[in-house]
Amino acid sequence: MKKLFRPAISLFILLSAVTGIVYPMAVTGIAQVVFPENAHGSLIVKGGKPVGSSLIGQNFSDPGHFWGRPSATSPQPYNGTASGGSNLGPLNPAFTDAVKSRIAALQAADPENPRPIPVDLVTASASGLDPHISPASARYQVARVARARSLPAATVAALVEKHTEDRQWGLFGEPRVNVLELNLALDDIR
Amino acid sequence: MTTHAWLLLGLYLLVLLLAAKPLGCHIADVMEGRPSLAARLGGGVESVLYRLCGIRREEEMGWLQYALAILLFNLIGALAVYALQRTQAWLPLNPQGFANVSPDSSFNTAISFATNTNWQGYSGESTMSYLTQMLGLTVQNFFSAATAIVVVVALIRGFSRHTAKTVGNAWVDLSRITLYVLLPISLVYAVFLVGQGAIQNFDAYKDVTASATMSTQSLPMGPVASQEAIKMLGTNGGGFFNANSAHPYENPTPLSDFIQMLSIFLIPAALCLTFGRMVGDMRQGWAVLMAMTLMFVVMAIVAMVFEQQGNPLLSGLGIDQSITAFQPGGNMEGKEMRFGIADSSLFATITTLASCGAVNAMHDSFMPLGGFVTMWDMMLGEVVFGGVGSGLYGMLVFAVMAVFIAGLMIGRTPEYLGKKIEAFEMKMVSIAILVTPLLVLAGAAIAVMAADGIAGIANPGAHGFSEILYAFTSAANNNGSAFAGLSANTPFYNNLLAIAMWFGRFGVMVPVLALAGSLAAKKRIAPGAGTMPTHGPLFVVLLIGTVVLIGALNYVPALALGPVVEHLMLGPGN
């Protein structure tokens, strides 16, 4: 047993240095050279100031912007330093109540919209930072956003179309719309 | 199931099975000390390492010494992670100025990462300094993966050697698997992840504001990609961030998600063929791999179907849960848009079958039968692919059990790969199989009887019981995923779950090494007329039957009180 101590301790220290210092530093070094923007968070810069990340959603809730997925982070939605989902079970009354109040908010902002609401627009995402909504959810909001901005619905719809991504390589994931990028493009119109 | 879901599953299996053989053969070469490209490039480092550590590579160990070496190495690892967390406030690379972690949380996390469980009571982005993440957690991701791989290699040597006193040199095995397999793959993989958008830096968190009317958002930063790569490859599963692989900075795109799923099963699948190669009969490896694959496909389909059906309690509220060209529909609570239903359900099946525990969707919000699948996957004993190394040694233990049962049926002495299975082997097999169910059921029973245990429940009714059952199933099987509503960052859960993780890991590993030692010492007997072939479809069916029956019989009553009741309550009239 005693003769195991020296190799155990020294191997632990040396392999720790390789896997815990050399390896992450090497990845950082390569990443800085090959993908510097990605490595620092895919930030969107406007007028010299970072306005957000194209990978992280933000909390839009006014009628003139597209709304993202509901976010269960606390204390406020889309809290970048406290990612997570609601963890509400499917039968939990608190879950059905939360969905009902989201439906009410969407309908209050757009009372004349008779269409059923796409499910992703009333259910909280896993990370609470989901940057995307479904194309159906974007289309559902076109009339409201157009009205609030006094823009022709066709203009807004065209912008949604432009920001709709297909499945990656036509194969992986789901078609989706990046809410922050879409809203920033909307703000650029006027 | 949609065409997209079938296509995804089919493509996944295709790529996995194509990649398994080359990697499996590479691992066999590395572990048997044959020359490989990686060994040529890193051979110098290896020699220096041995010289500095006083390791003589030709000096082999018996099973007991091997087990002691492994235990010692992991104990040092747990102590180091504990120490780092308790002192991180005074150490460098802590731009957010995080305080030292509490003693009970540090203890839980140290055990959790040393045992390849990676259960997380804490929330990474608000708790851990960059130094703790890389020098504590990333390192353990490597070491705990290496540990289980070398243990299964020792067990394989038990079959491939005869009349031998030793099963290998633990130090040499650990060094080789780390330097020549885990490290090179992780390096390439991490750079790929950054290419998809995962972050890798040492910056302080960045404040951003989209417009004058919006509140400021603080974006977390850190060396994420390097940890993410080994987290998936080593079936560790401990996320840099609280949301784990659902976080866009950990798993930015559907393609990164596909590769993450692939990397969970990659080494467990490859090791089956390492096994075939080392025992000199590839068919033995393929048989085990086929048994795993068949069980996986069934579980994946069940999860995908139930999540896609959506939540009947939401119908009639004016919501569209149907699947169209413009939305995935289904149960989207706790799921990310870019992954939708198919990718999330597939990921959940893979991460729970393998003892990975990374999540790209919140299992707590799955439909009752979707959640049932994730729990059931773990209850099979983490042997269907399972953790790196631990999955295969668990499955080989079941294979010994299967030949034993078959031997009883036909009245012959059971044998596996030319080794007679006798009383000592069956004792070790029984301990290895029974230790986890015992920890799960006893742990869950204690928690539901204690006020501190009940206090952690987030969801009412049967789902609350499921949260506790899931926690102990996950801990004792070294999975690490959670029905995360449970408030488990309390002294009660931190300590009880740490105990379940430690004994769930080494309570299996030590008997497995004893089995390896005893098998290695045996003579090899030539197959006779009464030998049951262990490479054909008959054996695959027998193996599946053994795994499912033992899993089922242990957990059926507990499952009936949790997800089964919950599903029945969803029915009409409730």
Side-chain angles (χ1 to χ4, degrees), chain B residues 32 60 82 87 125 136 150 156 176 181 254 306 324 331 382 423 426 491 495 571:
Chain B
E32 291 182 325
E60 291 223 337
Y82 182 82
T87 55
E125 62 265 51
V150 304
I156 296 171
R176 284 193 177 146
V181 178
F306 281 102
T324 70
N331 175 29
E382 297 295 15
M426 286 319 296
N495 293 324

Side-chain angles (χ1 to χ4, degrees), chain A residues 121-187:
Chain A
L121 205 52
V122 292
T123 46
S125 63
S127 64
L129 304 171
D130 196 339
H132 300 111
I133 53 177
S134 66
S137 290
R139 287 166 184 221
Y140 176 84
Q141 301 183 67
V142 164
R144 185 199 75 217
V145 172
R147 203 164 46 245
R149 294 182 167 252
S150 317
L151 283 171
T155 313
V156 179
L159 205 59
V160 167
E161 203 58 41
K162 200 179 144 217
H163 281 83
T164 302
E165 289 171 68
D166 192 13
R167 299 185 198 279
Q168 199 170 5
W169 297 1
L171 197 60
F172 297 118
E174 297 292 334
R176 58 208 184 276
V177 177
N178 187 308
V179 179
L180 177 60
E181 288 178 357
L182 175 61
N183 283 332
L184 291 173
L186 262 180
D187 288 345

Side-chain angles (χ1 to χ4, degrees), chain B residues 26-380:
Chain B
H26 171 68
I27 296 176
D29 286 346
V30 165
M31 299 319 288
E32 291 182 325
R34 280 193 295 270
S36 67
L37 178 67
R40 261 209 307 282
L41 293 174
V45 180
E46 195 188 344
S47 303
V48 171
L49 205 60
Y50 296 157
R51 212 166 32 251
L52 289 174
C53 302
I55 296 166
R56 268 173 294 186
R57 67 176 90 189
E58 59 293 329
E59 203 170 82
E60 291 223 337
M61 301 172 176
W63 79 264
L64 188 58
Q65 208 191 4
Y66 202 100
L68 287 171
I70 292 291
L71 280 170
L72 188 60
F73 193 72
N74 282 278
L75 198 61
I76 297 171
L79 288 172
V81 176
Y82 182 82
L84 268 171
Q85 293 178 84
R86 299 287 295 136
T87 55
Q88 66 173 13
W90 307 310
L91 298 173
L93 293 179
N94 185 6
Q96 297 312 113
F98 291 134
N100 295 331
V101 185
S102 75
D104 60 291
S105 178
S106 300
F107 171 63
N108 181 280
T109 305
I111 300 293
S112 172
F113 277 72
T115 56
N116 201 267
T117 312
N118 309 71
W119 170 271
Q120 295 173 291
Y122 63 92
S123 167
E125 62 265 51
S126 57
T127 313
M128 297 296 180
S129 76
Y130 296 162
L131 188 77
T132 308
Q133 296 267 25
M134 63 188 248
L135 194 55
L137 307 185
T138 303
V139 165
Q140 281 309 308
N141 283 351
F142 277 99
F143 291 176
S144 64
T147 295
I149 297 176
V150 304
V151 168
V152 79
V153 167
L155 178 61
I156 296 171
R157 289 185 185 129
F159 288 111
S160 67
R161 294 175 176 185
H162 57 95
T163 50
K165 288 198 178 68
T166 60
V167 294
N169 181 321
W171 311 128
V172 173
D173 290 347
L174 284 169
S175 309
R176 284 193 177 146
I177 201 76
T178 305
L179 293 175
Y180 301 151
V181 178
L182 300 175
L183 203 55
I185 301 179
S186 297
L187 189 67
V188 176
Y189 183 10
V191 174
F192 160 80
L193 285 173
V194 182
Q196 289 295 302
I199 56 174
Q200 179 75 19
N201 61 57
F202 292 94
D203 304 346
Y205 291 9
K206 284 201 182 86
D207 286 344
V208 293
T209 319
S211 69
T213 56
M214 303 265 296
S215 55
T216 299
Q217 188 183 37
S218 180
L219 297 176
M221 293 286 136
V224 174
S226 52
Q227 183 161 332
E228 189 71 10
I230 186 62
K231 159 200 156 196
M232 309 308 292
L233 186 67
T235 62
N236 293 283
F240 198 96
F241 302 118
N242 187 47
N244 210 299
S245 280
H247 199 292
Y249 276 164
E250 284 197 20
N251 191 4
T253 66
L255 178 63
S256 69
D257 191 62
F258 184 77
I259 300 295
Q260 292 206 352
M261 291 194 277
L262 208 57
S263 60
I264 298 177
F265 272 1
L266 181 64
I267 292 183
L271 281 171
C272 294
L273 302 176
T274 305
F275 163 65
R277 175 118 162 174
M278 286 177 72
V279 299
D281 182 359
M282 288 304 275
R283 295 173 307 171
Q284 304 289 346
W286 283 112
V288 173
L289 185 54
M290 280 309 116
M292 292 178 173
T293 307
L294 285 173
M295 280 190 272
F296 158 58
V297 169
V298 172
M299 302 314 273
I301 291 173
V302 175
M304 284 174 166
V305 165
F306 281 102
E307 290 307 299
Q308 188 66 63
Q309 280 179 358
N311 191 335
L313 297 183
L314 299 187
S315 56
L317 296 181
I319 296 177
D320 187 3
Q321 294 191 79
S322 67
I323 184 167
T324 70
F326 304 108
Q327 66 160 13
N331 175 29
M332 281 300 286
E333 179 71 17
K335 294 192 180 63
E336 294 284 289
M337 192 61 233
R338 60 194 181 284
F339 307 140
I341 301 296
D343 291 40
S344 301
S345 313
L346 185 60
F347 194 112
T349 311
I350 292 167
T351 196
T352 48
L353 277 177
S355 70
C356 181
V359 293
N360 77 348
M362 295 302 142
H363 296 181
D364 214 348
S365 299
F366 272 34
M367 295 310 295
L369 290 188
F372 172 91
V373 167
T374 59
M375 223 183 296
W376 176 257
D377 286 348
M378 294 186 286
M379 288 169 173
L380 291 174

